[in-house]
Amino acid sequence: MLALAYDVLIYQAPDGSLQPQLATSWEYVGEGNTTFELSLRPDITFVDGTPLDAEAVKANIEYRRDPAVGSQSAAQLAAVSEVEVVDDLTVRVHLATPNPLLPSLFTQGGAGAMISPAALADPAGVATETFGVGRYQLDANRTVHGDHYTFVANPDYWSPDDVHWDEVVVSFLPEESAALASLQAGQLDAGMATSATVDAGREAGLSVAGPGFPIVAGLNIWDRTGEVVPALGDVRVRQALNYAIDREAIASALAGDSGRPTDQLAAPDQSGWNGDGFYPYDPDKARELLAEAGYADGFTLPVRTFTGEQLTQAIADNLGDVGVVLDINADEQMDQADDAGNREYGAGFLGWGVSPPVQMATYFWLPDALNNPADSLDETLVQLQQQALVADEETLDELSGQIIARVAELAWFLPVYLQGESVLYDADVVEVPWANFQSVPTVTELRPTSSNGG
Amino acid sequence: MMRLVARRLIISVALVLFISLLTFVLQTLAPGDVARTILGCGGQTASCPEQQYQALRHELGLDQPLMVQYWQWLSQALTGDLGVSPVSGLDVSSAILSRLPVTASLVLLGTAATALVGVSVGVLSAVRGGRLGRVVDVLSLLGFALPNFWLALVFMALFSVTLGLLPATGYVPIDVSPRDWALSLILPVGTLMLAGMAGFAKQTRDSMLESLSQEYVRFLRANGASELSIVFRHALRNAAIPVVTMVGMLFVGLFSGALFIESVFALPGMGRLAVQATLGHDLPIVQGVVVVFTLIVVATNLVVDLVYGWLNPKVRVT
């Protein structure tokens, strides 16, 4: 929704590609991914008249970097050591440690949206008005925060051809079935939908785009060295668990058309994807591997999850077939960073938005990763990570694939399926560009089917 | 009467203080906190980058003792300043004020419609009896049994999707368009009414039957009073006391019912504000809504007591 009123430095298109928006070009300076230079589009001003220049970009990065502000990008910006204003339209970001992912950090998915520095100085105003460079501006009088937001076209936008509507109203409906009724009644033209309503929407004659923005669901095998469950220390056992899962069946039962099986922590056409084929469903092979490892009679695996989650039960049924008993412990809430608590279990529920492997590494498989309670260490992964951090774009791509392959080979996880939300829409009114399992198109991408906007 | 009001007001202040403290404590006992919400790691399987998380907690004062945090809120609230939401940056008082008209419309119309229809049906079935009485009994059972959620969705499917007469969801402020305001409230109020009406009718019928069988009614009839005057001036007034209690209870109950109706029909009312704030650990908003709700409940009870006094002079003495 923010994309309506806030242009970003670098725009991530629905097909995942990075395109110029407020920045016309960007590149790493020198070797090692520690200096990143952005060139800005000239003659752009924020809606309050402040010019968008290098100083403005610097102010934005420094604002989000401050942990007291609470920006979701603060952790990734923590490595920024200096923001250098080279000239009016050139900014250099200096990093204390290498990071090859700055281009995607400065998109709409990260810290890409630019806010007028004047507004940053008085952040209270940002809650009720918009202060960006944007196609639309928030109409505060016709907005109830948390319910609906009315945006009206900005007549001074720098690229008028990209303004497709006179007015856009974004509503938040807590009940999906009520949202579906509103779509059917023509009150809404497009809406996000989970697997719960996609089929009903399609039957009602609405068009479906998606699913996008993949979340990988499965189990994170926490006890990779076999401290609590000795069997898990053996790679053959962890691989056996992976062979025992009928991913196709589970994905279709739990997520329907909104899901897709996966045996790795990556998504098709995204960085690191190796194609299907690490662990095809093969219970016989699973039994064989278990027997080889000395667990022909199976073992009990304590798992931590949260209440109401269904996937773990489905996994338990599959694993039961090869003699492994899941002891499922469901809490109201499950803190992945609760190392001490999580160390008592063999594995825990995994549900995570797929991001580039070098970033996933810091969450899941480097020794100091947030969701690696036993601090498991694999030298190969650490080396691959070090190479990837300083690699150029092409090499990074190659290394990302190797990282995901190594993680799959170690079988530190039990990924089962990818799932994402779809968009239901009225094709007579709106067109929705989409690339499956890659992205949720921003609202700015929705365009009128006919020539008349509305 | 003045003493009754004064005593009630003193109790109310204590009640508001107690409930605000209770809410504060309960909310902080729930897993998670607002720093997680802001950092986007407040989900059921969340994990927060530790350094940023601790820094933000400190900035928000969440690392201070619970009683210090409560005192900070209270001392501010006593000056009429309910604070600012750390999640949205909005002023709590204005957030509540912008949503109060929605909930007020819903609850007032819901109470009025339920009471009016319920009492009418109840009186009619008491006077006419027979088949109508049995219909009221069956309806009241159905009203309790049918889930509101299902009823709401059936209404939407029928009146919005199939017939296209009414909007399925959303709210239009009365100053924007009185007609659209009314249209946007028909389904939510209708759902509330159907759920509460039957019980109301049954209560009215039972009290009416009791009143009508009293000695004085026979006396009035013997003296030639008209049937209309007996039913409305005498019997209904006596039967009204339990009904007034029900109106009060209904009014208060609808505030919690509104919480659900507002979610289904996507009405931007206080109930939904409270739900969103609770899930996001947005304490200033939760506290603000609870204080306003408590004041409304206290005021309603006071009004009900005053109406009792008017209906039944015996109450005035005690």
Side-chain angles (χ1 to χ4, degrees):
Chain A
M1 178 180 78
L2 284 177
L4 290 167
Y6 290 96
D7 274 9
V8 290
L9 290 171
I10 302 170
Y11 180 65
Q12 184 166 29
D15 66 0
S17 65
L18 301 184
Q19 292 170 5
Q21 200 168 58
L22 293 177
T24 49
S25 64
W26 54 90
E27 61 177 353
Y28 284 97
V29 180
E31 298 280 301
N33 298 338
T34 53
T35 306
F36 185 69
E37 187 174 285
L38 291 145
S39 302
L40 303 176
R41 191 175 294 281
D43 305 321
I44 302 279
T45 52
F46 292 97
V47 286
D48 65 358
T50 316
L52 175 100
D53 54 15
E55 287 291 349
V57 174
K58 178 179 164 136
N60 269 274
I61 295 176
E62 285 176 349
Y63 176 76
R64 289 206 176 84
R65 202 178 155 267
D66 179 1
V69 167
S71 163
Q72 299 187 4
S73 316
Q76 281 173 275
L77 288 171
V80 173
S81 55
E82 191 203 344
V83 184
E84 180 193 350
V85 174
V86 179
D87 60 47
D88 245 18
L89 295 176
T90 314
V91 197
R92 273 189 186 176
V93 180
H94 296 275
L95 297 173
T97 50
N99 181 352
L101 301 176
L102 285 190
S104 59
L105 177 60
F106 291 118
T107 64
Q108 67 268 32
M114 290 292 113
I115 305 170
S116 163
L120 291 180
D122 174 24
V126 181
T128 49
E129 277 179 75
T130 47
F131 293 96
V133 177
R135 295 161 169 85
Y136 306 88
Q137 276 174 273
L138 188 70
D139 180 348
N141 289 326
R142 290 189 290 150
T143 291
V144 176
H145 289 266
D147 180 73
H148 69 275
Y149 299 79
T150 305
F151 291 89
V152 290
N154 172 9
D156 303 322
Y157 186 61
W158 59 274
S159 175
D161 289 349
D162 289 329
V163 184
H164 303 301
W165 313 89
D166 298 334
E167 195 175 297
V168 179
V169 181
V170 181
S171 300
F172 289 85
L173 285 87
E175 284 302 331
E176 230 183 307
S177 29
L180 179 60
S182 306
L183 275 163
Q184 286 177 265
Q187 252 182 292
L188 303 173
D189 297 323
M192 301 292 301
T194 66
S195 57
T197 47
V198 167
D199 287 346
R202 194 181 280 124
E203 276 165 32
L206 295 163
S207 302
V208 183
F213 191 62
I215 289 172
V216 57
L219 290 182
N220 181 352
I221 297 174
W222 285 329
D223 187 17
R224 297 154 186 172
T225 47
E227 298 283 319
V228 185
V229 186
L232 291 178
D234 192 320
V235 66
R236 290 169 297 187
V237 171
R238 299 194 303 265
Q239 290 176 341
L241 300 181
N242 269 285
Y243 281 116
I245 304 297
D246 187 353
R247 297 181 166 84
E248 193 84 50
I250 296 180
S252 103
L254 292 185
D257 287 346
S258 302
R260 175 203 197 285
T262 185
D263 54 8
Q264 56 200 290
L265 294 187
D269 298 323
Q270 287 204 23
S271 116
W273 179 250
N274 277 252
D276 295 296
F278 287 110
Y279 297 105
Y281 178 47
D282 190 346
D284 291 335
K285 180 142 189 183
R287 285 188 203 97
E288 231 168 78
L289 283 166
L290 283 171
E292 266 176 44
Y295 294 95
D297 297 333
F299 61 94
T300 299
L301 170 52
V303 173
R304 189 176 203 184
T305 183
F306 60 87
T307 43
E309 178 268 308
Q310 296 172 307
L311 173 58
T312 308
Q313 190 53 55
I315 293 174
D317 292 345
N318 277 181
L319 294 185
D321 292 345
V322 298
V324 177
V325 178
L326 280 200
D327 166 21
I328 301 175
N329 303 270
D331 296 329
E332 201 47 54
Q333 189 169 30
M334 177 186 147
D335 187 347
Q336 302 256 19
D338 171 19
D339 280 2
N342 292 344
R343 244 178 255 135
E344 293 170 23
Y345 300 88
F349 176 79
L350 166 79
W352 200 266
V354 174
S355 54
V358 282
Q359 202 178 331
M360 296 281 274
T362 64
Y363 288 111
F364 290 109
W365 55 77
L366 292 179
D368 56 353
L370 278 168
N371 306 333
N372 181 358
D375 301 334
S376 327
L377 166 71
D378 177 64
E379 289 293 350
T380 313
L381 281 177
V382 173
Q383 278 170 20
L384 284 171
Q385 179 79 2
Q386 280 163 356
Q387 291 167 28
L389 285 178
V390 297
D392 59 42
E393 215 180 314
E394 205 174 308
T395 323
L396 175 64
D397 237 29
E398 212 179 288
L399 288 166
S400 297
Q402 291 175 28
I403 292 174
I404 291 299
R406 175 65 184 163
V407 173
E409 185 189 321
L410 288 168
W412 278 2
F413 300 87
L414 206 58
V416 179
Y417 62 84
L418 294 164
Q419 69 168 352
E421 291 195 333
S422 301
V423 173
L424 284 172
Y425 63 100
D426 180 350
D428 292 337
V429 181
V430 64
E431 277 173 18
V432 182
W434 195 279
N436 276 3
F437 281 118
Q438 286 204 8
S439 60
V440 173
T442 61
V443 189
T444 49
E445 288 289 344
L446 305 186
R447 46 200 77 205
T449 306
S450 51
S451 54
N452 36 319
Chain B
M1 194 55 99
M2 286 309 289
R3 271 183 54 199
L4 174 83
V5 175
R7 211 169 56 204
R8 278 311 176 92
L9 285 179
I10 293 169
I11 295 174
S12 317
V13 172
L15 192 66
V16 171
L17 279 178
F18 173 72
I19 289 184
S20 71
L21 179 63
L22 190 70
T23 317
F24 203 93
V25 172
L26 285 178
Q27 180 82 51
T28 43
L29 285 179
D33 64 32
V34 71
R36 286 177 176 277
T37 308
I38 295 173
L39 288 171
C41 45
Q44 278 182 304
T45 63
S47 60
C48 274
E50 192 60 20
Q51 198 192 340
Q52 281 73 26
Y53 174 61
Q54 293 302 345
L56 186 59
R57 269 179 67 85
H58 177 70
E59 178 70 21
L60 296 170
L62 299 177
D63 51 355
Q64 299 194 18
L66 190 59
M67 280 306 126
V68 174
Q69 291 184 46
Y70 178 70
W71 173 247
Q72 279 169 351
W73 173 81
L74 185 66
S75 51
Q76 221 184 1
L78 287 176
T79 66
D81 178 5
L82 289 175
V84 171
S85 153
V87 178
S88 63
L90 293 172
D91 180 61
V92 174
S93 307
S94 53
I96 290 177
L97 278 180
S98 77
R99 284 162 174 265
L100 194 57
V102 182
T103 305
S105 308
L106 188 64
V107 171
L108 285 172
L109 287 177
T111 309
T114 310
L116 202 71
V117 177
V119 169
S120 312
V121 173
V123 169
L124 199 66
S125 86
V127 177
R128 287 288 193 78
R131 197 170 290 168
L132 194 61
R134 283 196 292 280
V135 170
V136 168
D137 277 343
V138 172
L139 269 183
S140 64
L141 268 179
L142 264 184
F144 287 126
L146 285 182
N148 281 4
F149 182 75
W150 179 82
L151 209 58
L153 290 178
V154 167
F155 278 175
M156 271 184 217
L158 181 62
F159 294 103
S160 309
V161 178
T162 310
L163 298 175
L165 293 175
L166 297 166
T169 54
Y171 175 80
V172 180
I174 193 166
D175 51 322
V176 172
S177 159
R179 182 177 167 272
D180 290 347
W181 170 78
L183 288 179
S184 68
L185 283 171
I186 290 180
L187 289 185
V189 168
T191 309
L192 283 178
M193 189 200 76
L194 272 191
M197 174 213 86
F200 231 89
K202 192 164 159 47
Q203 173 72 50
T204 310
R205 184 173 68 107
D206 293 350
S207 335
M208 273 302 278
L209 286 176
E210 202 188 316
S211 290
L212 287 172
S213 64
Q214 300 279 323
E215 201 65 21
Y216 73 87
V217 171
R218 218 179 308 157
F219 184 73
L220 283 168
R221 283 215 176 94
N223 277 321
S226 78
E227 195 61 22
L228 270 183
S229 137
I230 290 174
V231 169
F232 288 101
R233 276 195 58 192
H234 300 281
L236 186 57
R237 182 160 176 180
N238 275 301
I241 291 185
V243 175
V244 167
T245 313
M246 266 195 97
V247 173
M249 278 164 57
L250 175 74
F251 182 79
V252 169
L254 282 193
F255 272 96
S256 45
L259 200 129
F260 154 81
I261 287 287
E262 284 169 4
S263 291
V264 178
F265 288 102
L267 306 173
M270 283 177 58
R272 242 178 94 199
L273 182 68
V275 174
Q276 282 168 340
T278 307
L279 293 177
H281 296 274
D282 192 340
L283 256 177
I285 296 260
V286 174
Q287 291 289 93
V289 173
V290 164
V291 167
V292 172
F293 270 163
T294 311
L295 289 175
I296 290 172
V297 171
V298 167
T300 311
N301 286 337
L302 193 60
V303 169
V304 168
D305 284 348
L306 294 177
V307 173
Y308 275 171
W310 174 70
L311 282 170
N312 183 355
K314 273 191 280 181
V315 179
R316 276 175 241 172
V317 187
T318 51

Tab-separated table of all heavy atoms in Angstrom, chain A residues 179-186 188-190 197-198 200-208 423-427:
chain	number	residue	atom	x	y	z
A	179	ALA	N	-14.827	-10.440	2.832
A	179	ALA	CA	-14.106	-9.767	1.753
A	179	ALA	C	-14.525	-10.356	0.411
A	179	ALA	O	-14.723	-9.632	-0.569
A	179	ALA	CB	-12.599	-9.926	1.954
A	180	LEU	N	-14.698	-11.684	0.386
A	180	LEU	CA	-15.122	-12.341	-0.844
A	180	LEU	C	-16.503	-11.840	-1.265
A	180	LEU	O	-16.747	-11.533	-2.435
A	180	LEU	CB	-15.136	-13.863	-0.639
A	180	LEU	CG	-15.578	-14.696	-1.831
A	180	LEU	CD1	-14.671	-14.453	-3.023
A	180	LEU	CD2	-15.587	-16.176	-1.480
A	181	ALA	N	-17.417	-11.718	-0.281
A	181	ALA	CA	-18.759	-11.211	-0.583
A	181	ALA	C	-18.681	-9.796	-1.155
A	181	ALA	O	-19.406	-9.452	-2.086
A	181	ALA	CB	-19.632	-11.240	0.676
A	182	SER	N	-17.777	-8.977	-0.595
A	182	SER	CA	-17.636	-7.603	-1.092
A	182	SER	C	-17.095	-7.585	-2.513
A	182	SER	O	-17.484	-6.742	-3.319
A	182	SER	CB	-16.705	-6.803	-0.190
A	182	SER	OG	-17.143	-6.863	1.126
A	183	LEU	N	-16.196	-8.528	-2.817
A	183	LEU	CA	-15.681	-8.633	-4.189
A	183	LEU	C	-16.803	-9.046	-5.140
A	183	LEU	O	-16.963	-8.485	-6.216
A	183	LEU	CB	-14.567	-9.677	-4.253
A	183	LEU	CG	-13.154	-9.225	-3.891
A	183	LEU	CD1	-12.279	-10.428	-3.593
A	183	LEU	CD2	-12.545	-8.416	-5.028
A	184	GLN	N	-17.599	-10.032	-4.702
A	184	GLN	CA	-18.696	-10.510	-5.549
A	184	GLN	C	-19.739	-9.423	-5.763
A	184	GLN	O	-20.336	-9.324	-6.819
A	184	GLN	CB	-19.364	-11.728	-4.894
A	184	GLN	CG	-18.540	-12.985	-4.984
A	184	GLN	CD	-19.227	-14.118	-4.242
A	184	GLN	OE1	-18.950	-14.373	-3.095
A	184	GLN	NE2	-20.164	-14.764	-4.903
A	185	ALA	N	-19.957	-8.615	-4.719
A	185	ALA	CA	-20.963	-7.564	-4.826
A	185	ALA	C	-20.432	-6.360	-5.610
A	185	ALA	O	-21.158	-5.402	-5.828
A	185	ALA	CB	-21.411	-7.135	-3.437
A	186	GLY	N	-19.147	-6.414	-6.001
A	186	GLY	CA	-18.587	-5.327	-6.780
A	186	GLY	C	-18.144	-4.145	-5.950
A	186	GLY	O	-17.817	-3.086	-6.484
A	188	LEU	N	-15.497	-4.175	-4.002
A	188	LEU	CA	-14.045	-4.140	-4.157
A	188	LEU	C	-13.726	-4.647	-5.553
A	188	LEU	O	-14.463	-5.459	-6.108
A	188	LEU	CB	-13.372	-5.061	-3.125
A	188	LEU	CG	-13.662	-4.822	-1.648
A	188	LEU	CD1	-13.040	-5.942	-0.821
A	188	LEU	CD2	-13.097	-3.481	-1.218
A	189	ASP	N	-12.618	-4.170	-6.138
A	189	ASP	CA	-12.234	-4.617	-7.473
A	189	ASP	C	-11.173	-5.708	-7.415
A	189	ASP	O	-11.052	-6.514	-8.328
A	189	ASP	CB	-11.714	-3.435	-8.287
A	189	ASP	CG	-12.802	-2.386	-8.485
A	189	ASP	OD1	-13.968	-2.795	-8.659
A	189	ASP	OD2	-12.496	-1.182	-8.439
A	190	ALA	N	-10.367	-5.717	-6.345
A	190	ALA	CA	-9.318	-6.727	-6.214
A	190	ALA	C	-9.020	-6.913	-4.738
A	190	ALA	O	-9.181	-5.984	-3.947
A	190	ALA	CB	-8.062	-6.293	-6.951
A	197	THR	N	-10.077	-19.023	0.443
A	197	THR	CA	-11.154	-18.455	-0.374
A	197	THR	C	-10.865	-18.432	-1.876
A	197	THR	O	-11.754	-18.091	-2.646
A	197	THR	CB	-11.473	-17.005	0.049
A	197	THR	OG1	-10.260	-16.289	0.165
A	197	THR	CG2	-12.249	-16.951	1.333
A	198	VAL	N	-9.639	-18.801	-2.278
A	198	VAL	CA	-9.309	-18.697	-3.703
A	198	VAL	C	-10.279	-19.517	-4.558
A	198	VAL	O	-10.825	-19.016	-5.547
A	198	VAL	CB	-7.853	-19.150	-3.960
A	198	VAL	CG1	-7.623	-19.343	-5.438
A	198	VAL	CG2	-6.887	-18.106	-3.433
A	200	ALA	N	-13.322	-20.615	-3.853
A	200	ALA	CA	-14.676	-20.055	-3.822
A	200	ALA	C	-14.755	-18.833	-4.728
A	200	ALA	O	-15.753	-18.629	-5.426
A	200	ALA	CB	-15.071	-19.690	-2.393
A	201	GLY	N	-13.701	-18.034	-4.733
A	201	GLY	CA	-13.669	-16.843	-5.566
A	201	GLY	C	-13.687	-17.192	-7.039
A	201	GLY	O	-14.398	-16.588	-7.840
A	202	ARG	N	-12.925	-18.215	-7.396
A	202	ARG	CA	-12.862	-18.635	-8.795
A	202	ARG	C	-14.237	-19.144	-9.239
A	202	ARG	O	-14.720	-18.800	-10.321
A	202	ARG	CB	-11.807	-19.724	-8.943
A	202	ARG	CG	-11.428	-19.978	-10.398
A	202	ARG	CD	-10.403	-21.090	-10.527
A	202	ARG	NE	-9.051	-20.663	-10.252
A	202	ARG	CZ	-8.246	-21.213	-9.335
A	202	ARG	NH1	-8.677	-22.221	-8.608
A	202	ARG	NH2	-7.025	-20.786	-9.162
A	203	GLU	N	-14.866	-19.933	-8.359
A	203	GLU	CA	-16.193	-20.445	-8.699
A	203	GLU	C	-17.199	-19.317	-8.864
A	203	GLU	O	-18.145	-19.414	-9.636
A	203	GLU	CB	-16.692	-21.407	-7.611
A	203	GLU	CG	-16.165	-22.810	-7.805
A	203	GLU	CD	-16.355	-23.657	-6.553
A	203	GLU	OE1	-17.349	-23.426	-5.833
A	203	GLU	OE2	-15.503	-24.520	-6.303
A	204	ALA	N	-16.998	-18.235	-8.111
A	204	ALA	CA	-17.923	-17.113	-8.191
A	204	ALA	C	-17.653	-16.244	-9.411
A	204	ALA	O	-18.279	-15.205	-9.583
A	204	ALA	CB	-17.840	-16.272	-6.916
A	205	GLY	N	-16.690	-16.654	-10.241
A	205	GLY	CA	-16.453	-15.929	-11.488
A	205	GLY	C	-15.376	-14.872	-11.406
A	205	GLY	O	-15.195	-14.102	-12.354
A	206	LEU	N	-14.667	-14.813	-10.279
A	206	LEU	CA	-13.588	-13.834	-10.180
A	206	LEU	C	-12.320	-14.417	-10.806
A	206	LEU	O	-12.174	-15.629	-10.913
A	206	LEU	CB	-13.323	-13.498	-8.707
A	206	LEU	CG	-14.466	-12.793	-7.984
A	206	LEU	CD1	-14.277	-12.890	-6.481
A	206	LEU	CD2	-14.540	-11.332	-8.401
A	207	SER	N	-11.430	-13.543	-11.239
A	207	SER	CA	-10.155	-14.008	-11.778
A	207	SER	C	-9.147	-14.153	-10.655
A	207	SER	O	-9.262	-13.488	-9.625
A	207	SER	CB	-9.622	-13.020	-12.806
A	207	SER	OG	-10.567	-12.866	-13.833
A	208	VAL	N	-8.175	-15.045	-10.865
A	208	VAL	CA	-7.185	-15.303	-9.830
A	208	VAL	C	-5.787	-15.066	-10.385
A	208	VAL	O	-5.465	-15.524	-11.483
A	208	VAL	CB	-7.257	-16.763	-9.338
A	208	VAL	CG1	-6.259	-16.994	-8.209
A	208	VAL	CG2	-8.666	-17.108	-8.890
A	423	VAL	N	-4.264	-13.059	-5.542
A	423	VAL	CA	-5.148	-11.904	-5.680
A	423	VAL	C	-6.385	-12.352	-6.435
A	423	VAL	O	-6.287	-12.993	-7.480
A	423	VAL	CB	-4.454	-10.757	-6.459
A	423	VAL	CG1	-5.447	-9.644	-6.747
A	423	VAL	CG2	-3.283	-10.211	-5.666
A	424	LEU	N	-7.563	-12.074	-5.862
A	424	LEU	CA	-8.825	-12.287	-6.570
A	424	LEU	C	-9.221	-10.934	-7.141
A	424	LEU	O	-9.125	-9.922	-6.454
A	424	LEU	CB	-9.913	-12.752	-5.596
A	424	LEU	CG	-9.863	-14.202	-5.116
A	424	LEU	CD1	-10.894	-14.418	-4.024
A	424	LEU	CD2	-10.109	-15.156	-6.273
A	425	TYR	N	-9.655	-10.911	-8.399
A	425	TYR	CA	-10.009	-9.608	-8.964
A	425	TYR	C	-11.065	-9.725	-10.042
A	425	TYR	O	-11.311	-10.801	-10.587
A	425	TYR	CB	-8.757	-8.908	-9.501
A	425	TYR	CG	-8.074	-9.622	-10.638
A	425	TYR	CD1	-8.279	-9.209	-11.949
A	425	TYR	CD2	-7.224	-10.701	-10.404
A	425	TYR	CE1	-7.647	-9.861	-12.997
A	425	TYR	CE2	-6.595	-11.345	-11.442
A	425	TYR	CZ	-6.818	-10.926	-12.744
A	425	TYR	OH	-6.199	-11.581	-13.771
A	426	ASP	N	-11.680	-8.593	-10.320
A	426	ASP	CA	-12.703	-8.511	-11.345
A	426	ASP	C	-12.013	-8.098	-12.646
A	426	ASP	O	-11.611	-6.944	-12.814
A	426	ASP	CB	-13.739	-7.460	-10.908
A	426	ASP	CG	-14.851	-7.308	-11.927
A	426	ASP	OD1	-14.715	-7.867	-13.041
A	426	ASP	OD2	-15.844	-6.632	-11.616
A	427	ALA	N	-11.878	-9.055	-13.573
A	427	ALA	CA	-11.093	-8.820	-14.786
A	427	ALA	C	-11.734	-7.776	-15.699
A	427	ALA	O	-11.075	-7.262	-16.598
A	427	ALA	CB	-10.901	-10.127	-15.543
